[in-house]
């Protein structure tokens, strides 16, 4: 099963992403008001979904599993670390694509809008997580402190969200999940939007899996290096 | 738990009382930062008064970083944490005690800075007095969060530079809520949602601290 997932996940993610791009560029029409700029909707919301919900959810769940003594494992720690790394990339992409949309629409690259600000703050928190992991050499210490920090970051998500929403907002409202449950997007545009969510979620899964494997291999190499160094010392002492 | 909290708070405050780091280093830093903010804004009294709440909370946040660093340094000498662990103290109580001691220090500094804000940045005295309970709430939230972030960062050799990276983004909502509520008091606006946000943050950090401080200490 694991081998099958490894074999098909990457190609499926790639093909889905390519189909999304093809539909976004060639199948869907330009928007009546925003023109070609509206095509960003096929990438930007899906990036935000991965950056803020999927990866945060994965990292928090994996961290909680690590902190719970019965489910504690190196796997949970590595999955959390991989999810946060991928999340940081997606947060950066979300901010960049949002900025590209904001420049012609709002006239500036950056505004102190609620969603932009909260996403940026969460991005800095993610950078903090990565800095924390690099600041500790002891794997157990690193894993436990990173897990606690991930949980703290998770409780920060609603706090940051509401603080900046109440503070100031300019960002447009929901396109799909509106308050009165009426879709604001239809036809090929709606299907492409849906496909983009699936494609980027698959990309996320593939990237987390790849990063997890890199983490496992580098940990194995580190312990092999340590073993080799100890063996060399023993040989020296014996000679 | 409360007995442990009381003992730990008393220990931290006694150390502070003897070393006087707060009085001779932290408070002068806060006042200097406030003066520099005034210089950066310029001599226009109306402009200074308009942005004073934001500057006040910015300085309080910076001061909080120093207090957090100081609080986590108390246990930094080799073997101190291990000794505390072997005492078998309730971890939740230790968290509450450290947070209480930090709150006393931060609130005292913030009150002095608030007085400085009325003098240097022309905030009406009545607004400064009325905002004191909200300052207490904001500093309590900063303290609860600060104890956790301080311990998370303390394990590393670069803890002094790591702490701001970890804590400042998390302090952003507290800064916004504090600034908005202070501004609302000056302009007679509504502040209930900001107070609610501070209460929610305090409860969230307090609960997480009581639950997870033990796991952090053991590591």
């Amino acid at each position: 099963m694991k081998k099958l997932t490894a074999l098909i996940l990457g190609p499926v993610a790639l093909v889905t992403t390519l189909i999304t791009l093809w539909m976004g560029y060639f199948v869907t029409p330009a928007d009546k008001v925003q023109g070609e700029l509206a095509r960003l909707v096929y990438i930007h919301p899906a990036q935000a979904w991965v950056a803020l919900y999927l990866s945060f959810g994965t990292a928090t769940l994996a961290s909680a599993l690590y902190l719970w003594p019965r489910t504690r494992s190196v796997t949970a720690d590595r999955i959390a670390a991989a999810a946060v790394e991928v999340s940081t990339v997606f947060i950066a992409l979300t901010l960049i694509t949002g900025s590209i949309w904001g420049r012609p629409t709002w006239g500036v690259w950056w505004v102190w809008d609620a969603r932009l600000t909260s996403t940026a703050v969460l991005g800095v928190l993610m950078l903090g997580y990565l800095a924390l992991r690099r600041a500790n050499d002891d794997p157990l210490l690193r894993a436990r402190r990173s897990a606690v920090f991930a949980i703290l970051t998770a409780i920060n998500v609603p706090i940051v969200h509401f603080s900046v929403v109440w503070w100031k907002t300019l960002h447009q409202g929901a396109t799909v999940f509106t308050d009165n449950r009426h879709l604001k997007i239809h036809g090929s545009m709606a299907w492409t939007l849906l496909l983009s969510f699936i494609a980027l979620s698959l990309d996320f899964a593939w990237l987390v899996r790849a990063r997890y494997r890199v983490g496992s291999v580098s940990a194995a190499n580190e312990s092999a290096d340590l073993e080799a160094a100890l063996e060399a010392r023993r040989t020296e002492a014996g000679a | 738990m409360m007995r442990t909290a009381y003992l730990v708070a008393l220990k931290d405050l006694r150390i502070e009382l003897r070393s006087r780091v707060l009085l001779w280093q932290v408070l002068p830093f806060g006042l200097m930062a406030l003066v520099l903010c005034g210089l950066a804004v310029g001599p226009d009294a109306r402009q200074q008064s308009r942005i004073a709440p934001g500057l006040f909370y910015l300085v309080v946040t910076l001061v909080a970083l120093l207090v957090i660093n100081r609080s986590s340094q108390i246990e930094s000498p080799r073997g101190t944490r291990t000794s505390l662990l072997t005492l078998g103290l309730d971890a939740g109580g230790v968290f509450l005690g450290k947070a209480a001691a930090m709150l006393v220090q931060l609130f005292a500094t913030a009150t002095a800075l608030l007085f400085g804000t009325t003098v240097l940045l022309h905030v009406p005295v009545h607004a400064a007095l009325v905002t004191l309970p909200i300052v207490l709430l904001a500093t309590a939230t900063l303290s609860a969060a600060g104890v956790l972030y301080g311990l998370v960062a303390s394990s590393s050799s670069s803890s002094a530079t790591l702490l701001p990276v970890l804590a400042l983004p998390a302090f952003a909502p507290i800064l916004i809520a504090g600034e908005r509520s202070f501004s609302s008091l000056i302009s007679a606006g509504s502040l209930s949602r900001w107070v609610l946000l501070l209460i929610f943050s305090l409860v969230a950090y307090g609960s997480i601290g009581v639950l997870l401080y033990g796991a952090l200490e053991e590591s």
Side-chain angles (χ1 to χ4, degrees):
Chain A
M1 184 64 188
K2 271 186 181 177
K3 276 191 174 176
L4 188 70
T5 314
L7 273 175
I8 63 165
L9 186 59
V12 169
L14 183 69
V15 169
T16 324
T17 308
L18 287 173
I19 295 173
T20 307
L21 289 174
W22 173 69
M23 286 180 72
Y25 275 115
F26 304 110
V27 177
T28 55
D31 184 67
K32 209 186 287 180
V33 182
Q34 297 187 23
E36 299 295 334
L37 196 63
R39 293 187 197 282
L40 271 171
V41 83
Y42 308 125
I43 190 160
H44 177 72
Q47 281 171 344
W49 147 255
V50 171
L52 302 176
Y53 300 100
L54 199 57
S55 25
F56 261 100
T58 309
T60 309
L61 184 66
S63 300
L65 286 175
Y66 183 84
L67 286 176
W68 190 255
R70 284 186 185 180
T71 50
R72 183 167 296 159
S73 70
V74 186
T75 309
D77 175 51
R78 283 187 195 143
I79 289 175
V84 171
E85 270 194 27
V86 177
S87 167
T88 312
V89 174
F90 273 89
I91 285 177
L93 288 173
T94 307
L95 288 173
I96 291 167
T97 51
S99 237
I100 292 170
W101 182 84
R103 181 73 178 93
T105 313
W106 294 333
V108 282
W109 292 107
W110 179 267
V111 284
W112 289 98
D113 161 70
R115 293 210 190 160
L116 268 75
T117 313
S118 60
T119 308
V121 170
L122 293 173
V124 181
L125 275 168
M126 293 291 95
L127 288 177
Y129 179 95
L130 298 179
L132 180 65
R133 284 195 81 85
R134 272 150 191 77
N136 286 299
D137 291 330
D138 178 3
L140 285 176
L141 188 75
R142 180 175 59 208
R144 197 173 283 205
R145 300 221 161 169
S146 306
V148 172
F149 185 71
I151 304 272
L152 282 174
T153 305
I155 67 157
N156 255 310
V157 174
I159 296 173
V160 170
H161 176 78
F162 285 112
S163 70
V164 287
V165 165
W166 289 345
W167 179 51
K168 201 177 199 180
T169 193
L170 195 64
H171 199 283
Q172 67 179 69
T175 306
V176 181
F177 303 108
T178 53
D179 291 341
N180 54 11
R181 299 186 181 194
H182 283 293
L183 281 174
K184 284 189 193 168
I185 190 164
H186 306 277
S188 61
M189 293 170 102
W191 286 112
T192 311
L193 182 66
L194 177 69
L195 190 65
S196 72
F197 276 78
I198 297 169
L200 267 76
S201 301
L202 287 169
D203 289 342
F204 166 77
W206 180 64
L207 285 169
V208 167
R209 195 182 180 284
R211 186 62 190 92
Y212 171 81
R213 279 178 61 80
V214 170
S216 306
V217 170
S218 69
N221 281 346
E222 268 174 36
S223 65
D225 287 347
L226 185 67
E227 279 300 317
L230 286 172
E231 192 54 44
R233 270 294 168 87
R234 280 193 208 108
T235 317
E236 271 176 32
Chain B
M1 188 196 279
M2 296 321 280
R3 171 91 184 135
T4 307
Y6 173 73
L7 288 172
V8 171
L10 212 62
K11 179 225 12 142
D12 276 15
L13 288 173
R14 268 200 194 121
I15 291 172
E16 183 43 51
L17 214 61
R18 283 174 192 157
S19 64
R20 309 214 171 169
V21 170
L22 192 76
L23 188 66
W24 296 113
Q25 292 174 26
V26 178
L27 189 59
F29 165 79
L31 288 171
M32 197 59 233
L34 214 54
V35 170
L36 286 177
C37 285
L39 291 175
V41 173
D44 184 353
R46 277 182 64 191
Q47 170 81 348
Q48 284 180 345
S49 171
R50 197 173 62 82
I51 62 168
L55 295 179
F56 166 71
Y57 274 99
L58 180 66
V59 173
V60 167
T61 308
L62 295 176
V63 161
L65 287 179
L66 293 186
V67 176
I68 294 163
N69 212 15
R70 170 78 186 138
S71 171
S72 56
Q73 266 179 359
I74 290 174
E75 273 96 34
S76 65
R78 187 178 283 272
T80 314
R81 265 188 231 286
T82 319
S83 310
L84 272 176
L85 274 176
T86 51
L87 286 174
L89 295 171
D90 183 87
V94 176
F95 164 76
L96 289 176
K98 289 202 77 69
M102 201 183 283
L103 168 63
V104 171
Q105 297 174 54
L106 256 182
F107 184 62
T109 316
T111 307
L113 289 173
L114 197 59
F115 177 71
T117 314
T118 58
V119 176
L120 297 170
L121 302 175
H122 316 289
V123 169
V125 177
H126 72 273
L129 288 175
V130 176
T131 201
L132 265 177
I134 296 166
V135 172
L136 179 66
L137 189 58
T139 46
T141 313
L142 283 172
S143 305
V147 173
L148 290 170
Y149 285 108
L151 190 55
V152 167
S154 69
S155 60
S156 138
S157 54
S158 53
S159 63
T161 44
L162 187 62
L163 177 66
V165 178
L166 301 184
L168 280 180
F171 289 169
I174 305 168
L175 189 137
I176 294 172
E179 186 274 329
R180 286 286 80 204
S181 51
F182 195 175
S183 294
S184 302
L185 282 171
I186 293 173
S187 61
S190 165
L191 53 91
S192 56
R193 57 168 57 169
W194 303 112
V195 174
L196 200 69
L197 187 74
L198 285 174
I199 292 172
F200 176 75
S201 306
L202 179 61
V203 171
Y205 280 118
S207 320
I208 293 276
V210 169
L211 286 172
L212 293 183
Y213 196 79
L216 268 175
E217 260 193 333
E218 280 169 26
S219 65

